[in-house]
Amino acid sequence: MSTQQPKPAAKPAATEKKSGGISAGLILIVLFAIAVAIYSLVMGDGSHFEGGTNEGHPLPGDYFGVVYKGGVIVPVLMTCFLTALTFSIERMFTIGKAKGTGDVNAFVRSIQASLDKDDVDGALKACDKQKGSVGNVTLAAIKKYKALTTEKSLDKEQKLAALSKEVEEATSLELPMLEKNLTIIATLASVSTLIGLLGTVIGMIKAFASLGNSGGSTDSSALANGISEALINTALGIGTSAICIIAYNVFTAKIDELTYSIDEIGLSVNQNYATHHN
């Protein structure tokens, strides 16, 4: 009786893990400094207020002066907005680069057509031309496909398992690059609303405090300033949150499309290997 143990499936080729994206901590600090500078030097400039000083009322129709009166919470909300804008632009370029140089759907169809004809070299050339995350994962899968055609020590099931493992490994190295910083955008969608609510509460506290300190007579100016501060922070918080939610959903949908294309190619590679090779 033979005591030879079955050989394990071939290990997937090691691939260098990609980082991609922007360092979040440094970006947040820089954007907060920019927000404070804009709030103090631009919005707080005396030209936006009556009497030439930011102690006065904003000039009619001057929104810089109006937003400045939102108080100390405004720079924090501006930081949230700038952060969402920065990471949205960064994700847009990163995901666009991940798609590669050509149309993803056309690339998937060309790979399927090449594999249907068992044209491995043609599929490799298409991967080199496409580049991007989809092209990288497909290239790893096709290289493994080609290597397994000359592998004699593994049976068919082990080869298919090794091929699937290669696709999973390559995909797991690409997806973190695509999803990086999306968590920050999702967090800002909730946090900006809460920060805006905090500003609203502070504004209302000031408004009611002006009533309590008026000695029986209503200080309409202080009351109006408090309510205005509350509403400004509410508007900024809700607006920033809406932008974050839209950006997060758009980028998530784009990543899902890329993931679906990668899964489709991985399935095609396995099916074609099972059809054309032992």
Side-chain angles (χ1 to χ4, degrees), residues 19-25 27-28 83-84 86-92 94-95 175-188 244 247-248 251-252 255:
S19 56
I22 299 175
S23 175
I27 289 298
L28 288 172
T83 303
T86 300
F87 285 124
S88 293
I89 294 173
E90 186 262 348
R91 285 296 90 192
M92 180 176 65
T94 299
I95 294 174
L175 284 183
M177 182 193 70
L178 298 178
E179 296 174 347
K180 186 178 181 181
N181 297 329
L182 282 184
T183 303
I184 296 176
I185 296 177
T187 301
L188 288 175
C244 291
Y248 179 82
F251 293 134
T252 300
I255 292 173

Side-chain angles (χ1 to χ4, degrees), residues 125-176:
K125 290 179 181 179
C127 294
D128 290 334
K129 183 179 179 181
Q130 179 70 17
K131 298 183 173 61
S133 293
V134 178
N136 291 340
V137 174
T138 307
L139 181 62
I142 300 300
K143 285 183 176 179
K144 192 66 176 180
Y145 182 106
K146 187 175 184 179
L148 289 173
T149 58
T150 57
E151 177 65 56
K152 303 298 183 182
S153 61
L154 303 176
D155 59 32
K156 186 172 184 178
E157 290 185 1
Q158 289 174 325
K159 290 180 180 181
L160 291 175
L163 195 55
S164 297
K165 188 66 175 178
E166 182 70 24
V167 174
E168 291 175 6
E169 179 74 12
T171 302
S172 68
L173 294 174
E174 293 289 341
L175 284 183

Side-chain angles (χ1 to χ4, degrees), residues 7-261:
K7 295 184 179 181
K11 294 182 179 179
T15 308
E16 182 182 357
K17 188 173 183 178
K18 300 184 177 182
S19 56
I22 299 175
S23 175
L26 178 62
I27 289 298
L28 288 172
I29 294 173
V30 172
L31 292 179
F32 179 70
I34 292 174
V36 171
I38 294 174
Y39 176 75
S40 302
L41 303 178
V42 179
M43 295 181 174
D45 187 82
S47 61
H48 303 299
F49 303 89
E50 296 176 355
T53 173
N54 55 28
E55 297 295 328
H57 292 292
L59 294 174
D62 193 319
Y63 290 102
F64 279 174
V66 171
V67 174
Y68 179 82
K69 289 299 181 179
V72 296
I73 299 296
V74 170
V76 180
L77 289 170
M78 289 175 61
T79 303
C80 293
F81 172 76
L82 291 175
T83 303
L85 183 62
T86 300
F87 285 124
S88 293
I89 294 173
E90 186 262 348
R91 285 296 90 192
M92 180 176 65
F93 281 106
T94 299
I95 294 174
K97 184 178 179 181
K99 289 183 177 180
T101 57
D103 181 71
V104 175
N105 292 327
F107 171 70
V108 172
R109 290 193 296 270
S110 69
I111 292 297
Q112 290 173 335
S114 296
L115 292 179
D116 285 339
K117 295 182 292 185
D118 201 25
D119 182 11
V120 178
D121 291 333
L124 288 173
K125 290 179 181 179
C127 294
D128 290 334
K129 183 179 179 181
Q130 179 70 17
K131 298 183 173 61
S133 293
V134 178
N136 291 340
V137 174
T138 307
L139 181 62
I142 300 300
K143 285 183 176 179
K144 192 66 176 180
Y145 182 106
K146 187 175 184 179
L148 289 173
T149 58
T150 57
E151 177 65 56
K152 303 298 183 182
S153 61
L154 303 176
D155 59 32
K156 186 172 184 178
E157 290 185 1
Q158 289 174 325
K159 290 180 180 181
L160 291 175
L163 195 55
S164 297
K165 188 66 175 178
E166 182 70 24
V167 174
E168 291 175 6
E169 179 74 12
T171 302
S172 68
L173 294 174
E174 293 289 341
L175 284 183
M177 182 193 70
L178 298 178
E179 296 174 347
K180 186 178 181 181
N181 297 329
L182 282 184
T183 303
I184 296 176
I185 296 177
T187 301
L188 288 175
S190 301
V191 170
S192 58
T193 303
L194 296 176
I195 295 174
L197 180 60
L198 175 62
T200 302
V201 172
I202 293 174
M204 295 307 295
I205 289 174
K206 291 181 179 180
F208 284 107
S210 68
L211 290 177
N213 296 329
S214 60
S217 59
T218 303
D219 186 349
S220 59
S221 177
L223 179 62
N225 286 338
I227 295 175
S228 175
E229 179 177 338
L231 294 178
I232 289 168
N233 285 288
T234 302
L236 290 175
I238 293 175
T240 302
S241 177
I243 291 172
C244 291
I245 292 172
I246 293 172
Y248 179 82
N249 288 335
V250 168
F251 293 134
T252 300
K254 290 182 179 294
I255 292 173
D256 288 343
E257 290 178 5
L258 293 178
T259 304
Y260 175 79
S261 298

